[in-house]
Amino acid sequence: MNETRIIISGGGTGGHIFPAVSIANAIRRMRPDAEILFVGALGRMEMQRVPAAGYNIKGLPVRGLIRPLWSPKNIGVALDFLKSKRMVRSILKEFRPQVAVGVGGYASAATLDAAAAMGIPCLIQEQNSYAGVTNKHLAAKVEKICVAYDGMERFFPTEKIIKTGNPVRQNLLETTLTREEALQQFGLKPDCRTILIVGGSLGARTLNESVMSHIHQIRESKVQFIWQTGKYYSEQIRQQMQQIPPVPNLVVTDFIADMGAAYRAADLVVSRAGAGSISEFCLIGKPVILVPSPNVAEDHQTKNAMALVNKDAALFVKDADAPQQLITLALNTVDNKSLLQSLHDNILKLALPDAAETIAREVLNMRKP
């Protein structure tokens, strides 16, 4: 087969974009001549992140349904979806992909709907332990469904499911830093236990409140903290920190560019329970306390977290309980060497290391001449 043309669609959050780019990179490694085109939603994160990764992207005016569903504004949403499907049809006719890949998000519904109707083989990747609305809708129309968790036959036809795991950011796995070098990068001591608190690139209000309400306990502890506040909250927290005595064992930053170094420095991570983050913790064997976000569809982050907690591979704190309980639990956990070792051993057993390559091979095998 001389040429390879693949379309990849989805986005809206980093949890959809990182896997999409990882799959594209894996396809390129196997077929350096492959032509890959992304389709995303106008105004969403993918319109910047995908070109930055070196790929072309077309944007659709597609957006999510507004709650409550009977809102008159959803008439406009429906019209934009129909317009997006028309636009996708012309993109597909011009690009002539051999396979269409969907990773979730608004744009992938319009793209894979149109691709399936045109007889183009389709594959979807579901990152979460609880399937998203878009992927449940597309399941009947696609040939293959790549998943990261057991039990997904609750949502999808069993014969289409392939358990591949979630593709993760390669630089996390490729960091060559030692723990001491990573700590030095953050200006921290090599002989102290270290906790990393991270709520995603935009931040997580509950995690930030948990830190601020226990700042005295953090200052008095013999533990070091790296705290990613998120850009959305950084100015407010900077002002709050100026009103209190210094906390020398706390590094505060709005965004961590080198997450590989942060993970290497940390003995324990406190995080939301997004599927991509969980896959990263599994691959690097990192002990973690998960605080699922309550502001996600079908509470899927709690379901992601419980898939680990039920195998003694992570600890769990409800969002509502975090301001009272989280920091005390984190300090007790990081000082418990046998618990850290047990969490490390158990989470490592859940790793699926070659997800991007596995999915890329499936995509390439689906091509029609």
Side-chain angles (χ1 to χ4, degrees):
M1 187 174 295
N2 294 328
E3 56 180 352
T4 301
R5 293 183 312 283
I6 310 295
I7 213 154
I8 301 177
S9 184
T13 67
H16 288 141
I17 297 162
F18 293 135
V21 170
S22 296
I23 294 166
N25 291 343
I27 292 169
R28 277 267 166 89
R29 285 193 291 275
M30 293 174 190
R31 290 295 306 251
D33 59 334
E35 285 188 53
I36 299 171
L37 177 66
F38 280 75
V39 178
L42 288 169
R44 300 303 295 243
M45 197 190 290
E46 58 265 27
M47 300 309 292
Q48 282 77 46
R49 293 284 177 87
V50 168
Y55 295 97
N56 293 329
I57 186 166
K58 303 268 190 187
L60 305 176
V62 67
R63 50 206 170 100
L65 288 166
I66 292 157
R67 310 274 174 191
L69 293 178
W70 44 260
S71 167
K73 292 179 181 173
N74 281 327
I75 296 169
V77 173
L79 292 172
D80 280 345
F81 185 77
L82 293 172
K83 182 181 177 185
S84 297
K85 281 184 75 168
R86 283 198 300 276
M87 289 172 68
V88 166
R89 277 197 287 271
S90 63
I91 292 168
L92 294 170
K93 282 176 186 168
E94 186 183 338
F95 185 68
R96 294 176 298 113
Q98 294 152 319
V99 185
V101 179
V103 294
Y106 309 137
S108 70
T111 304
L112 271 76
D113 256 348
M118 293 169 68
I120 297 163
C122 296
L123 173 149
I124 54 176
Q125 198 249 334
E126 174 55 61
Q127 290 103 33
N128 291 294
S129 62
Y130 194 92
V133 173
T134 295
N135 282 344
K136 283 194 282 192
H137 160 75
L138 291 169
K141 306 178 182 189
V142 305
E143 276 74 23
K144 293 184 179 178
I145 303 169
C146 296
V147 303
Y149 290 89
D150 292 327
M152 297 305 286
E153 55 278 357
R154 288 178 297 154
F155 309 106
F156 303 131
T158 307
E159 68 278 4
K160 296 183 180 184
I161 294 174
I162 306 160
K163 190 178 175 190
T164 59
N166 285 325
V168 302
R169 294 172 280 186
Q170 278 306 115
N171 59 341
L172 296 182
L173 306 178
E174 290 166 359
T175 184
T176 55
L177 292 173
T178 64
R179 180 177 180 273
E180 288 69 27
E181 288 167 340
L183 286 164
Q184 197 173 8
Q185 204 164 295
F186 289 96
L188 293 170
K189 298 174 184 172
D191 54 349
C192 284
R193 294 273 174 193
T194 305
I195 296 172
L196 168 66
I197 299 176
V198 55
S201 56
L202 295 176
R205 179 185 295 157
T206 303
L207 300 190
N208 293 341
E209 286 174 357
S210 303
V211 174
M212 288 308 303
S213 61
H214 289 78
I215 207 85
H216 177 70
Q217 191 179 0
I218 288 170
R219 189 191 288 112
E220 296 299 306
S221 76
K222 293 184 171 64
V223 175
Q224 304 175 129
F225 286 77
I226 304 167
W227 176 24
Q228 179 180 281
T229 64
K231 294 191 174 177
Y232 188 78
Y233 301 100
S234 60
E235 180 56 29
Q236 170 197 348
I237 285 164
R238 191 182 65 78
Q239 290 174 9
Q240 288 176 304
M241 294 298 289
Q242 284 176 341
Q243 309 297 316
I244 61 171
V247 190
N249 56 331
L250 175 65
V251 174
V252 185
T253 178
D254 66 335
F255 181 71
I256 298 170
D258 187 355
M259 197 54 82
Y263 285 160
R264 185 58 59 91
D267 299 289
L268 174 70
V269 180
V270 175
S271 171
R272 288 305 202 191
S277 299
I278 285 178
S279 296
E280 291 168 358
F281 303 142
C282 292
L283 284 167
I284 59 177
K286 191 57 63 175
V288 62
I289 300 173
L290 297 169
V291 186
S293 170
N295 310 312
V296 294
E298 271 122 357
D299 197 24
H300 69 249
Q301 285 204 3
T302 297
K303 297 174 177 88
N304 291 348
M306 294 316 293
L308 272 67
V309 172
N310 292 337
K311 293 179 177 169
D312 298 323
L315 302 179
F316 162 77
V317 175
K318 278 177 69 172
D319 186 83
D321 297 336
Q324 288 74 42
Q325 299 175 8
L326 180 60
I327 297 302
T328 302
L329 176 64
L331 288 168
N332 290 340
T333 303
V334 83
D335 279 334
N336 186 334
K337 284 188 179 176
S338 64
L339 176 56
L340 287 181
Q341 188 63 49
S342 163
L343 290 169
H344 164 80
D345 294 345
N346 290 339
I347 201 168
L348 210 50
K349 291 174 193 166
L350 305 179
L352 294 164
D354 301 312
E357 282 67 26
T358 307
I359 296 167
R361 274 194 294 275
E362 293 291 342
V363 171
L364 293 173
N365 288 340
M366 288 168 67
R367 289 172 298 166
K368 288 181 179 175

